[in-house]
């Protein structure tokens, strides 16, 4: 048995209903042409005020999705089992901290 497990939060433990198409379209109106990755594109914005505005928009959309998130079937049982076996658990996500906590609490 392994002593540590790392899980990706979105789509593995929690079903987040982010509307990536809407996010991409709204950001294109705000900043222009988008690259392949939303976060990488926003990170490359040179204008700090615009970059901050774009990140605030993304965070707001993540928080809206977190309010509607739901645990994927079997998640609770799996995590309880691993905890009972004293296995260390890590959760990885690119979402902001607030929306991640909100999703976990739903």
């Amino acid at each position: 048995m392994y002593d540590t497990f790392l899980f990706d939060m979105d789509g593995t433990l929690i079903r987040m209903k982010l509307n990536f198409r809407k996010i991409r379209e709204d950001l294109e109106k705000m900043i222009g042409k988008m690259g392949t990755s939303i976060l990488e594109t926003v990170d490359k914005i040179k204008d700090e005020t615009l970059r901050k505005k774009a990140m605030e928009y993304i965070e707001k959309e993540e928080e809206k999705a977190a309010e509607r998130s739901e645990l994927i079937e079997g998640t609770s049982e799996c995590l309880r089992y691993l905890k009972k076996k004293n296995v260390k658990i890590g959760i990885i996500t690119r979402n902001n901290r607030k929306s991640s906590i909100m999703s976990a609490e739903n």
Side-chain angles (χ1 to χ4, degrees):
M1 175 76 131
Y2 294 101
D3 65 347
T4 305
F5 278 84
L6 295 176
F7 294 94
D8 177 45
M9 187 176 81
D10 306 326
T12 304
L13 302 176
I14 293 173
R15 191 169 293 112
M16 289 273 289
K17 297 174 182 171
L18 275 167
N19 186 340
F20 288 106
R21 180 177 291 178
K22 178 185 182 308
I23 292 170
R24 181 174 288 282
E25 288 171 358
D26 290 348
L27 285 172
E28 281 182 347
K29 291 174 191 169
M30 188 185 307
I31 64 173
K33 185 156 174 52
M34 296 287 296
T36 305
S37 165
I38 292 171
L39 292 176
E40 288 174 17
T41 300
V42 170
D43 192 46
K44 292 178 182 175
I45 297 171
K46 295 187 184 341
D47 180 324
E48 188 175 332
T49 303
L50 186 56
R51 185 175 56 249
K52 184 177 178 184
K53 182 178 176 184
M55 282 307 299
E56 287 171 354
Y57 169 77
I58 292 169
E59 289 170 3
K60 187 179 185 188
E61 290 300 312
E62 287 177 355
E63 289 164 17
K64 282 193 236 177
E67 291 172 355
R68 301 182 311 270
S69 67
E70 51 193 40
L71 277 178
I72 291 176
E73 187 176 335
T75 296
S76 295
E77 296 83 0
C78 176
L79 295 177
R80 275 196 294 275
Y81 174 80
L82 293 173
K83 184 177 180 181
K84 184 176 152 185
K85 296 291 185 182
N86 294 316
V87 173
K88 296 177 203 146
I89 299 168
I91 299 174
I92 301 166
T93 186
R94 291 180 79 174
N95 292 349
N96 71 69
R97 184 172 179 81
K98 183 177 178 182
S99 68
S100 298
I101 291 169
M102 288 171 65
S103 294
E105 290 175 343
N106 266 350

